[in-house]
Amino acid sequence: MGDSVGSRYLVPVRAVFWPWCLEGGVTPEPAQAEQWLLRSLGFGSTMFLVGLSGGIASGKSTVVAVLRELGCAVIDADVIAREVVQPHFKAYRQIVHYFGTEILLENGEINREALGNIIFSHPGKRQLLNSITHPEIQKEMLKQILKYFVLGYRYVILDIPLLFETNRLTKFMKCTVLVYCDPPTQLSRLMKRNGLSRAEAEARIASQLPLDEKRKLASHVIDNSRDRESTRRQVLRLHACLEDSLDFLWARLAAGTVVAGLGGLVYLLLRHFMS
């Protein structure tokens, strides 16, 4: 497929989607599958992806709430991450196999706090957990992206907490958005929200890439250091910017041409019948 726009996206999409096809008993020809995937994901069409991230206690949930109010399509990776470790999912069985039944609650579900305590201090185990959950999360995200494409959304926001830390998905985004707040505000909010000591809060923040570093990587920044209304105004500006993206220029021109053409046709018909 050469160096086309779609080819940049195809390898990771195939890596996520192809096993899913095989599990479901679907075995299309590779060439047909590639073309179908590209068409389904909207390559060559107007839909694009927007990556949204932040830091612990930076206020990303506030921004997401405003985006949902505006009717935006938001895919929450955290919600999906919680869903794919439920007992009836493949990831659940793998996690119990590698981490043991001591991480389970009485009802059989995974104790997220207990699992979190294990991986927080053991990078190797965190990497193992990611290798189990990430493919399942990506698979579900792809299914939701396809859904929004079929529904005709202009863009889809992928809410991914570690978007800049992993840096593997940013190449699929037209743009990336960081929800930022200054370090003192972040520390204060986290201590208050989670009831943590200063040392505990600082340790949690230190486990992530600093917001000031993420800021350099983002194409858009929403500063949530101030009041909620200030944040809302910034989100509204961002939404307007994305809606007016030049990606839709050809679509608007096409629509205008169709309307003008229909108008001209109606005019000619009226003149014909009135003459």
Side-chain angles (χ1 to χ4, degrees), residues 34 44 49 94 109 122 124 199 224 228 242 256:
E34 290 180 4
L49 304 180
Q94 292 179 309
E109 292 185 359
H122 296 87
N224 191 37
R228 192 175 290 255
L242 294 174

Side-chain angles (χ1 to χ4, degrees), residues 43 79 181 205 225 235 255:
F43 298 123
V79 170
C181 71
I205 292 172
S225 303
V235 176

Side-chain angles (χ1 to χ4, degrees), residues 105-268:
L105 296 168
E106 289 184 5
N107 63 2
E109 292 185 359
I110 290 174
N111 185 332
R112 291 172 59 84
E113 185 177 353
L115 184 58
N117 289 336
I118 292 172
I119 66 171
F120 183 72
S121 53
H122 296 87
K125 292 185 177 181
R126 184 188 307 138
Q127 195 170 13
L128 171 61
L129 179 64
N130 289 342
S131 71
I132 293 171
T133 58
H134 283 183
E136 300 303 310
I137 293 168
Q138 291 169 5
K139 189 189 300 182
E140 184 58 34
M141 288 176 72
L142 175 59
K143 288 161 69 175
Q144 292 192 28
I145 289 170
L146 293 175
K147 177 188 75 173
Y148 286 122
F149 171 69
V150 170
L151 292 173
Y153 279 78
R154 288 185 171 185
Y155 64 91
V156 175
I157 297 167
L158 303 183
D159 178 359
I160 304 174
L162 300 181
L163 178 65
F164 297 108
E165 280 85 346
T166 59
N167 204 31
R168 288 180 301 176
L169 297 176
T170 53
K171 58 182 174 288
F172 308 121
M173 315 296 176
K174 174 179 168 59
C175 59
T176 54
V177 180
L178 173 70
V179 181
Y180 174 88
C181 71
D182 59 74
T185 301
Q186 183 184 24
L187 180 63
S188 173
R189 286 176 178 170
L190 182 57
M191 291 171 64
K192 183 177 180 180
R193 187 189 75 183
N194 290 32
L196 302 175
S197 68
R198 186 182 187 87
E200 289 171 331
E202 287 175 341
R204 295 284 181 93
I205 292 172
S207 69
Q208 298 183 350
L209 189 67
L211 285 173
D212 285 320
E213 289 297 315
K214 293 182 183 182
R215 189 170 193 164
K216 298 173 187 175
L217 302 172
S219 48
H220 298 274
V221 176
I222 294 174
D223 191 339
N224 191 37
S225 303
R226 298 170 61 193
D227 58 89
R228 192 175 290 255
E229 187 53 38
S230 170
T231 300
R232 182 180 178 81
R233 286 195 298 270
Q234 293 176 69
V235 176
L236 292 175
R237 285 197 296 270
L238 172 67
H239 178 58
C241 175
L242 294 174
E243 285 285 294
D244 290 338
S245 168
L246 288 177
D247 279 8
F248 304 113
L249 180 59
W250 75 266
R252 290 197 295 270
L253 289 174
T257 302
V258 170
V259 170
L262 288 173
L265 179 61
V266 170
Y267 173 73
L268 291 173

